[in-house]
Amino acid sequence: MPSKRVAIAALEKDAAAPDLWNDQERAQQVTSQLSRLQADVERLEALRERLDDAQVLIDLGVEEDDAETLAEAGTALSSLAADIQALEVRTLLNGEYDDRDALITIRSEAGGVDAADFAEMLLRMYLRWADRHGYPAEVYDTSYAEEAGIKSATFAVKAPFAYGTLSVEQGTHRLVRISPFDNQGRRQTSFAGVEVLPVTQEADHIDIPEADIRVDVFRSSGPGGQSVNTTDSAVRITHLPTGLVVSCQNEKSQLQNKAAALRVLQSRLLERAREEREAEMRQLKGDGGNSWGSQMRSYVLHPYQMVKDLRTDFEVGNPSAVFDGDLDGFIDAGIRWRRQQADRSEN
């Protein structure tokens, strides 16, 4: 922690400079790094205070032979241990963009109406996870399926290290259940894809010339094609050089939707550039494989109840809790697994 305090003092001096904002990129880097380090120190100090408080409870309980006080101390220590473990996982998030907000897109894949329903279940799951942690989430675009569920949805989770935390959720998710849409009650397997990108910042320099994009406007629609807006405020942007297409319809004005869609496009172009760099490095190393694999989690509701991560083998027997946002066990295991994979590739 002393090194963090030294860094904070230096950054506070930089942040107080009157000409700081003459260089927008530099200013953003300074303020972002300062905010992150201050939050880290505050978190560590809070944990230390809780540890001291627990020690006081233990001493008091032993001195007075008070079982109730000792039980209270035990509860405090259990809670503290869980938070220390969460902080330990945070130290593993040291990738280039790990401290960014996260941009998540969910798409229904094979499985027809069940897949569209599953995609909507995953959307709710992640929004509930964000809500549990007090993280703001903003839905940019939702494309509803005809019968039930969604074809796709794009939303942002705005919190420090949201990208590093949620990036382990990327991949293909599989649901096995008795289909509520099958009048013969047959078991159905359906799939949905989750894409997680870092939200771009001004310092990323993702330049998108106007000549490289086509902007189309259309009327926003809700489930079943029902109009939710009487004006053509929804925006679809096509990036002509790459063919990438993004859209946004959840803001109130066409201008706001265009700005949000451009942010999504910038994030996808940033990720595309990162993937190209990684592919080049793998080629130089002679490693053309991908250690991640595609299918990463199974949610089984029939003939038994289980959710299992296929990379880490972490599993629970309560799918309802998982779909209600109880994802931390899976995310922590995924982060540790990713670090192990990275360490192996370096050795």
Side-chain angles (χ1 to χ4, degrees):
M1 194 147 70
S3 62
K4 288 184 182 288
R5 292 190 185 281
V6 170
I8 286 173
L11 288 166
E12 284 177 336
K13 184 177 179 180
D14 290 343
D19 61 346
L20 175 68
W21 288 97
N22 292 344
D23 184 342
Q24 293 281 332
E25 178 181 347
R26 166 70 177 156
Q28 188 173 31
Q29 290 174 343
V30 168
T31 55
S32 176
Q33 189 175 1
L34 176 60
S35 176
R36 187 166 64 250
L37 286 173
Q38 288 173 332
D40 287 345
V41 169
E42 289 172 5
R43 192 176 296 109
L44 288 169
E45 288 177 340
L47 289 173
R48 182 172 292 172
E49 287 179 8
R50 289 169 59 191
L51 183 60
D52 291 342
D53 291 345
Q55 185 62 58
V56 170
L57 283 174
I58 292 171
D59 293 342
L60 184 63
V62 171
E63 183 180 334
E64 300 186 0
D65 193 23
D66 185 345
E68 186 175 338
T69 300
L70 289 172
E72 184 181 350
T75 301
L77 286 173
S78 296
S79 175
L80 183 61
D83 289 341
I84 290 174
Q85 185 177 22
L87 186 62
E88 179 192 0
V89 172
R90 170 70 67 85
T91 65
L92 303 179
L93 301 179
N94 54 8
E96 183 179 3
Y97 304 119
D98 280 355
D99 62 339
R100 303 279 186 91
D101 294 347
L103 183 71
I104 300 108
T105 296
I106 299 170
R107 297 183 181 89
S108 62
E109 295 183 348
V113 64
D114 277 279
D117 188 53
F118 180 35
E120 188 168 38
M121 292 164 68
L122 292 179
L123 172 62
R124 180 186 181 278
M125 179 181 77
Y126 289 119
L127 293 178
R128 288 287 296 123
W129 175 85
D131 185 60
R132 280 169 173 247
H133 289 277
Y135 299 155
E138 183 178 358
V139 179
Y140 290 144
D141 182 60
T142 307
S143 175
Y144 293 94
E146 290 184 8
E147 186 173 343
I150 60 174
K151 296 177 182 177
S152 65
T154 297
F155 62 99
V157 175
K158 301 180 178 182
F161 292 91
Y163 170 69
T165 301
L166 289 169
S167 57
V168 295
E169 290 294 296
Q170 178 157 304
T172 299
H173 297 236
R174 181 182 69 168
L175 173 68
V176 180
R177 65 175 176 178
I178 297 296
S179 171
F181 306 101
D182 187 332
N183 55 20
Q184 297 183 38
R186 290 173 295 192
R187 189 169 66 177
Q188 172 76 24
T189 300
S190 53
F191 301 86
V194 175
E195 174 191 68
V196 185
L197 304 174
V199 172
T200 56
Q201 297 177 351
E202 288 183 17
D204 291 324
H205 294 305
I206 304 297
D207 184 33
I208 307 177
E210 283 290 329
D212 284 355
I213 61 174
R214 185 180 72 244
V215 180
D216 299 307
V217 296
F218 57 99
R219 186 161 298 179
S220 302
S221 63
Q226 182 179 7
S227 176
V228 296
N229 196 321
T230 57
T231 61
D232 292 335
S233 62
V235 172
R236 181 185 299 109
I237 298 178
T238 303
H239 187 243
L240 301 175
T242 62
L244 289 172
V245 179
V246 299
S247 60
C248 183
Q249 62 174 324
N250 288 11
E251 300 292 346
K252 293 182 179 179
S253 74
Q254 186 181 124
L255 192 63
Q256 288 174 316
N257 279 322
K258 182 180 179 182
L262 278 171
R263 288 196 296 272
V264 175
L265 178 58
Q266 286 175 325
S267 291
R268 295 217 167 123
L269 290 173
L270 181 70
E271 179 67 5
R272 189 185 184 98
R274 185 192 66 79
E275 289 175 349
E276 288 173 352
R277 289 199 306 271
E278 288 188 354
E280 185 177 350
M281 289 302 296
R282 284 197 299 269
Q283 189 173 12
L284 290 173
K285 292 178 181 178
D287 176 18
N290 187 341
S291 61
W292 275 81
S294 177
Q295 195 175 132
M296 50 79 70
R297 186 175 303 148
S298 285
Y299 306 73
V300 181
L301 306 184
H302 183 85
Y304 51 88
Q305 301 266 313
M306 183 186 72
V307 181
K308 181 174 182 178
D309 193 291
L310 305 178
R311 307 158 304 173
T312 66
D313 288 331
F314 183 88
E315 63 179 73
V316 299
N318 188 353
S320 295
V322 175
F323 280 124
D324 199 40
D326 187 5
L327 286 172
D328 287 343
F330 289 98
I331 290 172
D332 289 356
I335 292 171
R336 294 179 190 278
W337 174 86
R338 180 174 60 189
R339 180 56 180 266
Q340 291 170 358
Q341 297 298 105
D343 290 343
R344 287 174 188 165
S345 66
E346 291 172 2
N347 295 332

